[in-house]
Amino acid sequence: MTKRVLHLVLKRKYFERIYNRTKLTEYRNFTSYWQKRIESKHYTHIKFQLAYSKNPPTMLVEVLDRNIVDYKGVKSYAFDLGKIIEVNNYE
């Protein structure tokens, strides 16, 4: 299967929670911005980047599933996260 990667930038607390496996789902609001980037695409992985810097920490995480859910009263995309495949420039 061909790897299809969605790139997302996160704040430190969310990056750390995914790294520590205490956050297993990533949510994005169901807006026209995200619809253009997510709809009709099957992402196999998400590459998370910790904020913006010259050599930011990154991690590549497999996507197990994607659904549309009601998250905190807002229609949202929910990515179920699997194994962490690769981590760069962190710890």
Side-chain angles (χ1 to χ4, degrees):
M1 182 192 328
T2 304
K3 194 187 311 185
R4 185 160 182 128
V5 181
L6 174 64
H7 296 265
L8 298 176
V9 179
L10 298 177
K11 292 181 178 180
R12 179 171 298 279
K13 67 179 178 179
Y14 301 117
F15 189 92
E16 289 176 350
R17 288 178 189 166
I18 292 169
Y19 180 81
N20 293 324
R21 307 295 294 148
T22 57
K23 183 177 191 312
L24 301 175
T25 305
E26 176 63 19
Y27 297 96
R28 295 290 150 158
N29 288 347
F30 193 84
T31 62
S32 61
Y33 177 86
W34 288 111
Q35 286 174 352
K36 289 178 202 170
R37 286 153 184 80
I38 295 173
E39 279 301 316
S40 74
K41 295 179 176 84
H42 177 72
Y43 290 105
T44 59
H45 296 79
I46 297 176
K47 186 167 192 172
F48 293 105
Q49 175 181 312
L50 174 56
Y52 295 99
S53 63
K54 189 172 183 177
N55 290 312
T58 61
M59 74 179 132
L60 185 66
V61 181
E62 72 178 344
V63 173
L64 300 176
D65 199 8
R66 181 195 83 200
N67 295 293
I68 297 172
V69 300
D70 180 25
Y71 178 67
K72 296 184 178 179
V74 177
K75 187 176 181 181
S76 302
Y77 292 103
F79 291 92
D80 294 332
L81 304 176
K83 291 185 285 188
I84 296 173
I85 307 300
E86 177 182 282
V87 178
N88 294 303
N89 301 327
Y90 190 68
E91 299 226 336

